[in-house]
Amino acid sequence: MCGIVGYIGKKNAVPILMDGLSSLEYRGYDSAGIAAMDKGQLCMSKRAGKLKILAECLKKNPVKGAIGIGHTRWATHGEPNEINSHPHYSCKSDFVIVHNGIIENHHELREKLKKEGHKFRSQTDTEVVVHLIEKLYKGNLLKAVCAAIRQLHGSFALGVISTHHPDMLVAARKDSPLIVGVGKGENYIASDVPAILKYTREVIYLDNNEVAVLTRDKVALYNTKEAPIKKKTAKIKWDSASAEKAGYPHFMIKEINEQPQVLKTILNHRIKGNRVVFEKFNISEAKLKKINNIQIVACGTAYHAGLCGKYILEKLLRLPINVDTSSEFRYRDQIITKGRTLIIVVSQSGETADTLASLREAKKKGAVVASICNVVGSSIARESDGVIYTLAGPEIAVASTKAYTAQLTTFYLLGIYLGRIYGTVSDKATKKLLGELAKVPGLMTQSLKEHKKVKKVADQYIRRYDYRLAEQLMFLGDEIWRFKDPKKALAFAQQCAKKSHSAYGKRFGDFPFLYLGRNVNYPSALEGALKLKEITYISAEGYAAGEMKHGPIALIDEFPLVVCITPQSAVYEKMLSNIKEIRARKGVVLSVATEGDKEIRKKEYSDYVIEIPKIDEFFSPLLVALPLQLLSYYIAVGLKCDVDQPRNLAKSVTVE
Ligand code: M6R
């Protein structure tokens, strides 16, 4: 979480820093700040809230300088106010720092530094680092930074500048991502590539315990003992346009629409003739042949992809497959057999703290580690024995969409790839499976063309609940129905309720969503619910439909919306039975069904129907994902939620 950026060159650093921060805002948006140095004078500006508040402030009180650092924060230690915003100054304001990560021993360091006379301004863990550098500084900034970080426990990506060295920017990393951008007469640091892509394509990925000293014309690298090290620069192949909105109102809808193309790209890269090929997947066939059990580990949406991966791999490999969330896996007494257990970690960002820790734990115990990752060169990708990139391009919206279907696709391909090695997937079966997969991009395009139908359902839902809510607020059912427009009814009700009723604050609290699915679409139900809650703040639960009778059925009356994932499948009849049970209790049902299914459209089953194109059940999660993403998106837009940057969240969770 948190994004950091830094610049040293001849231009004014501030617009470059602000530009960089705008592409890093997905990493956190509780507060933002920058510091720049002009003729040896440090100047800082920081504000609570989103970057646009800082931008407004800079318009009124400009800051300039040819060297600077910037930060966008996701608060961990200390509330997201201005004082706790980064950058942070030393006592004499001669050193200034930005930090991403958590300093675990900040408490003891702070107490010690306080006793030595250091004055702290904020409640952050970060501030100890700048005081430590100040204390250890004896005329050499590199030495002071190295000495300071040798005392730190926890994770950090740091950018440091000082009035004592007006032509130097020092950066360091451990367990939080950091790259150095190499330019001509100017250099950069950033948490992620899109922040600097407009300016350079040459980057150095810093590894743990590496320190970079940037001047205008040079980047020198060291380990934490100040010994010089050499590293190659990598060339970024994708362009900055793919990290921009391209005319869409939100990144999320752009990324939803990119899915057919992403799938095409994956299939073009990975299928050669009747074979799945993973180039540079450094786990040999001999090693893979020794595997007798597989453990999948991931968080959030990637976990849902992993759960679907379990169904896919079980079917294709006939091996015991387990799946766990990273935060649970890392602290469990896992059963790992050296050289026999294959761990598959799944992560869009490749930086998720719990997933990375699980990977390390599994490696320590002798597991073979493969990762399914989107961000090239990320920590998870680099630390795995073999990585399969999902080739989805940068995903900016906090709500994961295209990365999810890319992860699912990769699981299908991995299943076929491993199945060939284990002899569980024949030539004939490969042909059939790849043939089905090849249809998916076209079917996705077809499905996305129907997006207006999903929007209509979202609008109907909002309309229905606006009335219901107005009715509730008024405690006078009939009164509000005289309004033709539900928004007006709601506004009237709100007005009346303002003083005496606080229920509006709990909008939709009484109208939860329940997502039900079976078999390969049980993970789809979980993912549908996650997508809705994270961007609309409506409570939503995903359940295996067969579990409904074991608890969730108690929720059913005429208020919740029950989304039943019911494509044509071996469990179709079972889903219909579940729907009947819901209807018998006055439940409102939205069915996601296969096109042409007349049965499900009958009033006895569904109030609303969203169709997906015909597809083999095994691959249906790839198509089911799209209308569920769209439904959440349109409800969020209708409720005027911040779609791309929902409250309290960050794109990449680099702290535990
Ligand atoms: O980068 P990762 O795939 O490891 O991230 C895992 C989760 O944090 C992520 O999927 C999160 O749940 C998304 N916001 C869901 O849309």
Side-chain angles (χ1 to χ4, degrees), residues 21 54 77 80 101 107 143 155 169 180 198 272 373 431 451 475 477 484 527 569 588 595 628 639:
L21 289 180
L54 176 67
H77 294 62
H107 187 67
K143 269 190 189 306
S155 55
L169 192 166
V180 174
K198 268 191 195 162
K272 305 278 177 255
C373 233
K431 199 168 173 198
H451 71 107
F475 305 106
K484 291 226 168 62
E527 175 57 11
S569 69
V588 186
E595 61 184 356
L628 296 186
L639 297 178

Side-chain angles (χ1 to χ4, degrees), residues 232-371:
K232 283 194 182 139
T233 53
K235 199 169 178 83
I236 302 297
K237 297 208 177 93
W238 43 277
D239 60 23
S240 58
S242 49
E244 283 161 11
K245 280 189 203 149
Y248 286 97
H250 301 101
F251 279 111
M252 184 178 176
I253 189 70
K254 176 189 173 228
E255 288 159 6
I256 289 174
N257 278 294
E258 280 172 355
Q259 290 175 101
Q261 188 50 50
V262 168
L263 257 82
K264 262 189 215 159
T265 307
I266 300 175
L267 301 181
N268 283 342
H269 270 77
R270 303 291 185 218
I271 302 174
K272 305 278 177 255
N274 195 32
R275 280 267 189 279
V276 173
V277 180
F278 296 127
E279 81 277 2
K280 296 190 191 146
F281 181 57
N282 293 332
I283 307 176
S284 66
E285 277 199 30
K287 255 193 181 174
L288 289 170
K289 274 192 175 144
K290 290 191 187 137
I291 298 300
N292 63 14
N293 69 94
I294 296 179
Q295 168 74 56
I296 303 168
V297 187
C299 297
T301 288
Y303 166 72
H304 298 151
L307 193 56
C308 194
K310 173 185 159 80
Y311 284 86
I312 297 168
L313 297 186
E314 253 172 21
K315 190 176 167 77
L316 297 179
L317 307 182
R318 313 307 303 142
L319 277 182
I321 320 274
N322 197 11
V323 56
D324 215 342
T325 53
S326 315
S327 53
E328 285 302 311
F329 178 82
R330 64 181 290 191
Y331 294 117
R332 268 202 297 115
D333 193 3
Q334 319 95 0
I335 300 174
I336 289 174
T337 324
K338 199 171 173 200
R340 298 277 181 189
T341 304
L342 174 69
I343 302 281
I344 305 177
V345 293
V346 191
S347 176
Q348 187 285 130
S349 63
E351 301 293 347
T352 300
D354 282 324
T355 310
L356 187 56
S358 299
L359 176 159
R360 289 178 181 156
E361 186 67 24
K363 248 184 142 177
K364 228 194 292 167
K365 293 189 172 152
V368 178
V369 179
S371 60

Side-chain angles (χ1 to χ4, degrees), residues 252 297-304 326 346-353 355-356 372-375 380 395 397-401 403-404 407 527 530-531 534-535 646 649-653:
M252 184 178 176
V297 187
C299 297
T301 288
Y303 166 72
H304 298 151
S326 315
V346 191
S347 176
Q348 187 285 130
S349 63
E351 301 293 347
T352 300
T355 310
L356 187 56
I372 295 178
C373 233
N374 195 36
V375 176
I380 288 176
E395 190 182 64
V398 164
S400 188
T401 53
Y404 174 66
Q407 287 158 354
E527 175 57 11
L530 174 64
K531 218 72 315 161
E534 71 179 329
I535 61 168
L649 288 171
K651 181 73 180 160
S652 136
V653 183

